[in-house]
Amino acid sequence: MVLLTAENIRKSYGTRIIFDDISFSIHEGDKIGVVGVNGTGKSTLLKIIAGVGQADSGEIITMNGMKIGYLPQAPVFQAGTTVLEQVFTGDYPQMELVRAYEACLKELEQAPSDSTLAEKAAVLAEKMDKAEAWSLESEAKNILTRLGITDFSRKVETLSGGQRKRVALAAALIAPVDLLILDEPTNHIDNETVEWLEKHLEKYSKALLMVTHDRYFLDRVANRMLELEKGKVYPYQANFTKFLEMKAEREELLAANERKRQNFLRNELEWVRRGAQARSTKQKARLQRFEEVSAQKAPEEKQNVELSSMGSRLGKKTIELSHVCKSFGETEYIHDFSYIILRNDRVGITGNNGCGKTTLLKIMTEQLTPDSGTVTRGETVKIGVFAQENETWDENQRVLDYIRDTAEYVSTADGKLSASQMLEKFLFPVSMQRGPISMLSGGEKRRLYLAKVLMESPNILFLDEPTNDLDIETLMILEEYLEHFQGAVVAVSHDRYFLDKTMRRIFAFLGNGRIKQYEGGYTDFREAYLKEKGSNIPAPAPKKETKPEIKTEKKLLKMTYKDQREYDTIGGEINELETKISVLENAMAECTTDYMRLQELSEEKEALDNKLEERMERWMELNELAEEIEKNRKVQNT
């Protein structure tokens, strides 16, 4: 069932086109991840679908009576409300019954012999049972607890930014909606909570539309992907890993089609230059086709964030922490911690929110002084810090000038890069470099900030939640850069994929200031940690001793008549499909002038390839069954 259809949506900011006439649908059961480079309009699209933003033109058509829930990146709260009241802000008749019942009970405390009040309370209790009001409040409290919020009566204005995001997430998850829209739901949430949220959303029965940089999350939750690129939208029936494969195939097809188009244009241009006269209808049609094909837009060359290793020489002495302790008030966050950062270290720091991860990072970079213990830094150490929060921006400053404030040039393995060239590497074309920072999206500002940090050529790089607000494409290139970075990297992150891909050692905050070192990435740490806790990790099932079966008790396996017929004919089907594909491949190789015909052949071949793959899989199933039958027959005869 189609829940929502977006038709011909257009959106621009000034001269910058965000959506150029895009259309797509959301169906019941869809769990859609929206991906794209920062600035392509992911959050803008979510706002338009949620009805809190407006497109310049186009239409959003929804199912009658459809309800949409929306979690923005920065939720707005009503001052004076408690956590539980904030969760139930909106249309919740069940909670109105609960509040009326609670008020009635308070009145009964004052007048216990009032039969009218007692009767009213009984009626309300019966209504609540029918409306399942008690279970709704219980579910809300359970979700809040799993998200790390246990004080349900606390005023929302006293919460931290991360806590507010989790309260808003709880409100979104409990809402009775047909489509739930989530903008960066995994930001400000620790790894254990993200794992719980994954499992919760895997079982979630309503449609989902979400933006997140968490690739493991997209892999396990999403069953569809929408890619935004250069004002267009590309749908994929896939999770994140399969999407990457299908995206590569799409780009290869575009490149192949463009090569064919260029070959056609070269051949036709030679014919035109030979002075061919448009005397006949056939010649006129050929000229017209040439003009139509030459007018087609070539696919824009894809830009990538390509970074050569930038860094200065690091001597033997790096940064050494010796018996460091740090407390705030009566809470000890770091207790007797010692470590020497190695020259090519890759250290990931993980733990629950508020446990002291950023505090440790600030002590390492001497932004914060420990209560006891020492931090010493080598003379050649040059640190770069990518903090959680961007610097204080001069919104009117030009993008190019912001980078030039750091350096005009930076040395890389490929030679010197100017500030402008560095920005181009980070997907900031010249037209954007001349504009003010105020024109950038939140994610683009994070990318600009990262460019500046790397422009400083550090040899020890400190990253505090680097995956927040960075698009997946930039993250993948950053991960590639870190792999070849000639220096040490220390990163605080909740991104499990990022920690697995880039880190070789994990520091885990275990509570009460204890920090323990684990070797490997996040998955290695998690397995070791759960074993230490005595967690009920599924143990390998004990091997069962197999006893010879009595012939009379063993049933002889058989193929059904239908399976046997299919098994007898499937080989011929496969041969026929392979022959057809071979014929199409030859036709495509010879088709150098008819661009439209090439497209038709390509689509026909793709359909046959899919059919061949399906028949091959079926042949393997039937072949395995035939082998099992033969094996079973031999056992019967022994």
Side-chain angles (χ1 to χ4, degrees):
M1 180 189 295
V2 177
L3 299 178
L4 179 147
T5 300
E7 288 188 352
N8 309 118
I9 302 298
R10 295 180 66 87
K11 182 71 176 178
S12 61
Y13 293 107
T15 59
R16 185 176 178 186
I17 297 174
I18 306 298
F19 306 133
D20 185 12
D21 200 30
I22 66 172
S23 300
F24 62 91
S25 295
I26 299 175
H27 297 76
E28 193 174 16
D30 279 348
K31 294 179 180 178
I32 304 172
V34 182
V35 294
V37 173
N38 289 139
T40 52
K42 299 187 295 294
S43 292
T44 301
L45 179 63
L46 263 56
K47 289 176 182 176
I48 292 172
I49 299 299
V52 298
Q54 293 293 322
D56 297 336
S57 63
E59 190 176 7
I60 302 295
I61 304 167
T62 60
M63 178 185 69
N64 287 337
M66 181 177 169
K67 292 182 179 179
I68 297 177
Y70 172 54
L71 173 71
Q73 283 195 44
V76 177
F77 292 90
Q78 185 179 339
T81 59
T82 66
V83 166
L84 198 58
E85 287 170 345
Q86 185 63 46
V87 169
F88 288 112
T89 299
D91 184 18
Y92 288 95
Q94 304 100 316
M95 298 313 298
E96 291 175 12
L97 287 171
V98 172
R99 302 300 169 242
Y101 180 71
E102 290 173 345
C104 190
L105 290 182
K106 285 183 180 179
E107 290 181 35
L108 267 174
E109 288 177 4
Q110 302 299 320
S113 59
D114 191 327
S115 59
T116 304
L117 282 175
E119 186 178 342
K120 181 181 177 182
V123 171
L124 286 170
E126 186 179 350
K127 286 182 177 179
M128 285 190 298
D129 287 340
K130 289 181 180 178
E132 300 182 346
W134 289 122
S135 61
L136 182 65
E137 183 169 358
S138 176
E139 185 182 354
K141 288 179 178 178
N142 178 54
I143 289 175
L144 283 166
T145 301
R146 295 307 301 261
L147 292 173
I149 306 293
T150 54
D151 186 353
F152 311 128
S153 60
R154 187 174 172 182
K155 299 295 183 183
V156 291
E157 58 264 31
T158 66
L159 301 176
S160 67
Q163 289 171 325
R164 290 187 183 192
K165 183 67 178 278
R166 281 174 276 165
V167 171
L169 178 56
L173 294 175
I174 201 73
V177 298
D178 302 293
L179 171 63
L180 179 58
I181 299 175
L182 304 175
D183 197 352
E184 295 291 3
T186 60
N187 277 6
H188 310 294
I189 296 178
D190 58 69
N191 291 323
E192 288 188 16
T193 308
V194 170
E195 289 173 10
W196 170 83
L197 182 61
E198 273 177 6
K199 292 174 183 174
H200 183 83
L201 291 180
E202 278 182 69
K203 300 172 185 174
Y204 191 73
S205 59
K206 305 301 181 181
L208 281 173
L209 181 68
M210 55 193 166
V211 170
T212 178
H213 63 262
D214 191 318
R215 288 154 285 181
Y216 281 158
F217 191 88
L218 286 172
D219 246 0
R220 293 162 186 169
V221 176
N223 56 26
R224 279 187 66 197
M225 302 292 293
L226 286 181
E227 181 190 17
L228 298 176
E229 184 178 18
K230 296 181 177 71
K232 300 297 182 183
V233 64
Y234 300 95
Y236 301 84
Q237 197 72 36
N239 65 0
F240 179 73
T241 299
K242 184 65 177 175
F243 148 73
L244 291 178
E245 297 174 10
M246 295 173 74
K247 175 181 168 70
E249 290 172 4
R250 177 177 70 81
E251 290 175 345
E252 282 179 20
L253 180 61
L254 283 174
N257 288 342
E258 177 59 16
R259 287 194 296 271
K260 294 291 185 183
R261 189 177 78 94
Q262 292 298 332
N263 286 335
F264 166 75
L265 290 175
R266 276 194 295 271
N267 292 334
E268 293 301 284
L269 188 59
E270 288 177 11
W271 176 77
V272 172
R273 283 174 176 170
R274 285 199 298 268
Q277 299 298 316
R279 287 190 295 268
S280 69
T281 302
K282 185 175 181 180
Q283 288 172 326
K284 287 179 180 178
R286 185 171 178 178
L287 281 171
Q288 185 178 356
R289 188 171 73 247
F290 170 74
E291 290 169 359
E292 288 173 354
V293 175
S294 63
Q296 293 174 2
K297 274 190 175 182
E300 292 184 34
E301 189 173 341
K302 186 185 174 191
Q303 288 181 300
N304 284 318
V305 184
E306 297 176 353
L307 303 176
S308 300
S309 182
M310 294 173 281
S312 49
R313 188 187 68 84
L314 181 61
K316 289 184 178 180
K317 188 173 182 180
T318 58
I319 296 175
E320 180 177 349
L321 287 79
S322 179
H323 303 289
V324 167
C325 296
K326 186 65 182 178
S327 300
F328 290 100
E330 297 181 358
T331 304
E332 186 176 32
Y333 289 90
I334 299 171
H335 176 73
D336 195 26
F337 179 72
S338 299
Y339 187 73
I340 299 173
I341 295 177
L342 305 177
R343 290 176 66 178
N344 288 300
D345 240 345
R346 297 292 185 270
V347 178
I349 303 175
T350 189
N352 294 335
N353 289 330
C355 65
K357 302 184 297 296
T358 298
T359 298
L360 177 59
L361 214 64
K362 287 183 176 179
I363 289 173
M364 287 179 169
T365 56
E366 297 181 308
Q367 298 175 64
L368 197 62
T369 304
D371 297 336
S372 61
T374 59
V375 179
T376 56
R377 184 193 296 190
E379 293 181 1
T380 61
V381 169
K382 186 176 181 182
I383 67 170
V385 181
F386 185 60
Q388 279 197 56
E389 302 297 331
N390 294 332
E391 298 179 313
T392 303
W393 303 97
D394 176 358
E395 295 284 337
N396 295 319
Q397 186 179 28
R398 294 192 312 169
V399 171
L400 180 58
D401 292 337
Y402 173 76
I403 294 295
R404 280 178 172 168
D405 285 348
T406 300
E408 282 282 354
Y409 294 92
V410 63
S411 296
T412 75
D414 300 327
K416 279 191 173 183
L417 280 180
S418 68
S420 179
Q421 289 171 323
M422 181 69 169
L423 283 169
E424 288 192 63
K425 296 281 187 183
F426 275 80
L427 304 185
F428 292 106
V430 174
S431 58
M432 290 181 69
Q433 295 177 25
R434 304 293 178 185
I437 291 173
S438 60
M439 293 297 292
L440 303 181
S441 68
E444 286 171 325
K445 287 179 179 178
R446 289 291 286 172
R447 189 169 359 120
L448 179 64
Y449 177 35
L450 177 61
K452 182 175 183 180
V453 172
L454 297 181
M455 193 82 176
E456 294 167 352
S457 299
N459 49 33
I460 299 184
L461 193 55
F462 292 90
L463 308 171
D464 195 357
E465 295 293 359
T467 64
N468 282 0
D469 301 317
L470 282 182
D471 58 81
I472 290 175
E473 190 168 340
T474 304
L475 282 176
M476 293 168 73
I477 303 300
L478 174 61
E479 288 161 358
E480 182 73 18
Y481 170 76
L482 293 180
E483 186 176 338
H484 302 287
F485 178 68
Q486 298 300 308
V489 180
V490 180
V492 170
S493 181
H494 287 134
D495 190 318
R496 299 158 295 169
Y497 190 103
F498 177 81
L499 292 172
D500 272 341
K501 185 79 179 288
T502 60
M503 298 298 130
R504 298 192 288 267
R505 181 169 295 121
I506 298 293
F507 288 157
F509 277 73
L510 303 179
N512 300 319
R514 294 181 302 120
I515 303 172
K516 186 170 181 180
Q517 177 177 321
Y518 294 84
E519 296 305 306
Y522 176 80
T523 300
D524 299 315
F525 144 70
R526 188 71 176 151
E527 289 177 358
Y529 174 68
L530 290 174
K531 285 179 182 177
E532 289 171 5
K533 282 182 64 177
S535 177
N536 54 349
I537 299 175
K543 291 184 178 179
K544 294 181 181 179
E545 292 185 10
T546 54
K547 297 181 180 179
E549 294 185 10
I550 302 172
K551 292 181 185 179
T552 56
E553 295 181 352
K554 181 84 173 182
K555 290 185 178 180
L556 186 64
L557 286 174
K558 286 184 178 181
M559 275 190 186
T560 65
Y561 175 78
K562 184 179 178 181
D563 285 346
Q564 186 64 55
R565 286 284 298 165
E566 189 177 8
Y567 185 57
D568 292 339
T569 60
I570 197 168
E573 288 182 46
I574 291 171
N575 290 336
E576 185 178 347
L577 286 168
E578 288 175 337
T579 301
K580 287 181 179 179
I581 290 171
S582 179
V583 170
L584 281 174
E585 286 174 343
N586 291 334
M588 289 171 69
E590 295 171 2
C591 185
T592 58
T593 59
D594 192 339
Y595 176 75
M596 299 304 295
R597 177 59 179 156
L598 178 65
Q599 181 69 26
E600 291 172 5
L601 291 171
S602 178
E603 290 174 358
E604 190 177 345
K605 179 180 175 295
E606 183 178 359
L608 288 174
D609 284 337
N610 292 336
K611 180 69 174 175
L612 177 61
E613 184 179 354
E614 182 268 324
R615 299 315 289 157
M616 286 295 293
E617 288 178 357
R618 180 60 178 155
W619 175 82
M620 290 175 67
E621 290 175 6
L622 292 170
N623 198 53
E624 287 175 1
L625 178 59
E627 289 176 356
E628 186 65 24
I629 290 171
E630 179 61 20
K631 181 179 177 182
N632 186 257
R633 185 187 62 77
K634 289 180 179 178
V635 171
Q636 290 282 337
N637 293 334
T638 57

